[in-house]
Amino acid sequence: MVTFYKPAKKDKAPKAVKVTCTDLDLQGRGVAKEGDKVYFVDGLMPTEVANVQVSPDVDLKKQRIVNAKITKIIKRAENRLESDCPVSGTCGGCSMQHVPSDMLINSKVEGIIRLFSKSINQDIGRPSFVHSGNSTHYRRACRFAVRGDHGKLYLGYRQEKSHALVRVESCVTLTDRINKFIVPVNRLLNTLSVKDKVGHVEFLDSDGALAILFRITVALPEADENKLREFGKENDLVISVIEPYKDKREISKVETTRERFVAGSMEDLYITSAGVRINCKPSSFVQVNSEINEKMLSTVLDMIKPAPGLRVMDLFCGLGNFAMPIAKAGACVVGVDIVFKMIEDARENAKNAGLSNASFEVADLEELFENQTWAKAPYDAVVMDPGRSGAKRATLFLAKRAKNKSDNSNNKVKKIVLISCNPLAASRDAVELVNSGYKITSWGVCDMFPRTTHVEMVLEFSLMD
């Protein structure tokens, strides 16, 4: 008996559904309702009519809320913006460039209000401030990946929803000074003998010099170092490399990495935070949007009201973006972060600025830190600017401190300012603080990342008596 092979039947793609977009959600997706279904659609704007399609593996009989993609826009919004980028549609960097800035920031505000209303079961009211600025040429720091094509290397950004790279020769979000050097640096990269060992190239447009960092997986040969040095001197650039390194004085055979200046120095490279000069390295983390950072600093200082005698703890402090201006205003500040080299730089900057009232400690704020001397000290206010994962342990620490009835009232932090680039994580942390007696007394958003789904928010918590 002969058995004939029958190929498995492929699932038929669901038919496209015609929908009308009514809103944008917190992630910038268009929201449309059709029948008993709610569709979330990337790239769709309010008032637009489109045919959309869900994935074949979605069971529309069981799921009421589904993600869908556009197959055809039938009616375009009158205020939809045309692309001003040559790699639009492939590069994943500016996914919301088609939405006017005011509409986009307003959708983020409304999304935050809905989110916090559900998480803390309270109406947080309207924002006290919305800081916005230029939507182009605002980005002063970026990282390019390096890929090869027919023996030539090029700099690029990650393609949307892919690990592939989109070649970039200029970018509308980057500062003019960075754009000026993308092509020359790409050309220089291809002259290096170890060009295939370069993984990333980073730019930092500081308030001083422009810095360029090469991340490399081998020790930089002398001939290549000379090329980088000459390029830096000719163009008044700061250039550094991060390369493998092993201290010959150590017994351990473990190889680490180090950052080494090839041209220029930290004296040439600095940012200014509310009038305070902070020297940095090409690898240093800085807020990418200097215009919005200054507005955010002004807001945080208004909330903290730093003055002589005030005791402030700055968690996730980095180089001291908040700590240094707070100390300059006279308050006593303790900044804490996990990166030892960054804390070393912060200490040096405080010393150079004559801020003896600013000290810095190294600690992992996601691990046990509560018993350290600096953590047990009394504070009037705390500033927290964690990464996207939030400040779960630090929040629990502050909440426990507020609920401790046997604790001296002077040891309870009266004010907390939480800065967050992830509203979901911020809402989770807010639950702990609200449940321990804090109230959100003011809040607002900073459009730190125009043309994207991201938003920076600032929350002021006050301890109720």
Side-chain angles (χ1 to χ4, degrees), residues 204 206-209 211 237-240 259-271 277-284 319 341-349 352:
L204 172 57
S206 81
D207 295 329
L237 303 172
V238 173
I239 296 182
S240 71
E259 181 172 8
R260 182 166 60 88
F261 284 88
V262 173
S265 69
M266 281 185 67
E267 291 301 313
D268 306 309
L269 198 64
Y270 64 90
I271 60 170
R277 174 174 170 144
I278 300 177
N279 290 336
C280 54
K281 297 184 177 75
S283 63
S284 297
L319 287 172
K341 290 181 179 179
M342 195 155 51
I343 290 298
E344 276 190 323
D345 292 341
R347 288 169 177 166
E348 187 65 23
N349 276 308
N352 292 339

Side-chain angles (χ1 to χ4, degrees), residues 89-249:
T90 54
C91 174
C94 295
S95 60
M96 303 304 297
Q97 63 175 291
H98 60 288
V99 181
S101 298
D102 56 346
M103 175 185 286
L104 183 56
I105 196 68
N106 287 338
S107 71
K108 294 173 182 179
V109 166
E110 296 302 326
I112 288 169
I113 292 173
R114 292 192 297 268
L115 173 64
F116 274 73
S117 176
K118 291 180 181 179
S119 62
I120 66 174
N121 198 28
Q122 290 180 18
D123 180 10
I124 62 174
R126 305 302 302 177
S128 303
F129 56 89
V130 176
H131 295 321
S132 58
N134 294 323
S135 62
T136 59
H137 304 293
Y138 69 86
R139 193 175 184 93
R140 64 178 173 183
C142 69
R143 173 187 286 194
F144 289 110
V146 178
R147 293 290 186 275
D149 183 18
H150 295 89
K152 293 286 186 179
L153 298 183
Y154 63 90
L155 306 179
Y157 291 143
R158 181 175 291 182
Q159 189 171 338
E160 187 174 8
K161 298 179 181 179
S162 169
H163 291 291
L165 224 62
V166 176
R167 183 171 183 169
V168 174
E169 295 185 349
S170 68
C171 174
V172 295
T173 68
L174 297 177
T175 64
D176 290 337
R177 193 155 60 154
I178 293 178
N179 276 321
K180 177 183 176 182
F181 280 99
I182 294 175
V183 171
V185 167
N186 203 151
R187 194 179 302 124
L188 170 67
L189 174 64
N190 277 287
T191 68
L192 302 181
S193 66
V194 290
K195 63 181 183 181
D196 59 330
K197 305 299 182 184
V198 179
H200 293 90
V201 177
E202 300 175 24
F203 289 77
L204 172 57
D205 190 358
S206 81
D207 295 329
L210 175 70
I212 303 170
L213 166 65
F214 293 81
R215 293 183 181 268
I216 185 169
T217 59
V218 296
L220 186 68
E222 183 178 356
D224 288 343
E225 182 172 336
N226 290 335
K227 289 181 181 180
L228 296 183
R229 182 179 296 109
E230 285 304 311
F231 185 79
K233 287 182 178 179
E234 288 174 5
N235 296 285
D236 295 321
L237 303 172
V238 173
I239 296 182
S240 71
V241 295
I242 290 182
E243 60 187 353
Y245 173 71
K246 182 182 180 304
D247 192 335
K248 296 179 180 179
R249 297 169 297 179

